[in-house]
Amino acid sequence: AKMANMGGSRHTIVLLQETGNMSSRTFSDFESISEAMNGICQLYETRLKGLNPGMRNITYDITDLYSFIENLGDLSCLVFNPQLQAYEPRNRQWVKDRVFAHLKQMAQ
């Protein structure tokens, strides 16, 4: 495992449960918080494409993404803290705040 803290990027593990069913649990790991937020947005975009197979360009706003996050069975992140040499848990609200910041950056 690469634990080098390059340029402030923090290894992030996204723990996701799509429905109330435990078997829908997955986890993904990313090199940084920003990549993890991008991964969550991509998951949502994939979902939208599945629901709207005829549409070429799918647009959504932050409230749509928030409701997707809210309706997941469970969502949390573990973010590596290099000072502690340990992973710190982050909740759904933290994810919503980070996703918002991430989308604002992308829009600039």
Side-chain angles (χ1 to χ4, degrees):
K2 298 190 292 287
M3 289 300 174
N5 185 28
M6 298 176 298
S9 71
R10 294 173 168 219
H11 188 252
T12 302
I13 300 168
V14 176
L15 305 164
L16 182 87
Q17 186 175 316
E18 293 223 13
T19 64
N21 188 335
M22 297 289 271
S23 68
S24 69
R25 278 191 164 174
T26 58
F27 77 93
S28 317
D29 72 312
F30 299 91
E31 290 301 314
S32 67
I33 292 171
S34 165
E35 278 181 36
M37 296 308 112
N38 194 45
I40 291 168
C41 292
Q42 285 178 340
L43 176 74
Y44 178 58
E45 288 161 21
T46 303
R47 172 72 49 82
L48 284 178
K49 285 176 188 149
L51 293 171
N52 305 281
M55 288 177 67
R56 280 221 299 269
N57 294 320
I58 294 176
T59 58
Y60 61 92
D61 65 25
I62 193 73
T63 52
D64 299 323
L65 184 57
Y66 279 175
S67 89
F68 168 72
I69 290 170
E70 280 300 321
N71 290 315
L72 289 168
D74 196 12
L75 176 66
S76 59
C77 291
L78 296 171
V79 180
F80 189 70
N81 181 328
Q83 281 81 39
L84 298 174
Q85 289 293 303
Y87 284 88
E88 297 179 306
R90 300 285 185 228
N91 65 13
R92 201 184 299 245
Q93 184 56 52
W94 180 89
V95 172
K96 286 164 72 172
D97 295 342
R98 288 299 173 288
V99 156
F100 180 71
H102 175 73
L103 288 175
K104 264 182 36 182
Q105 266 185 323
M106 301 291 281
Q108 285 170 1

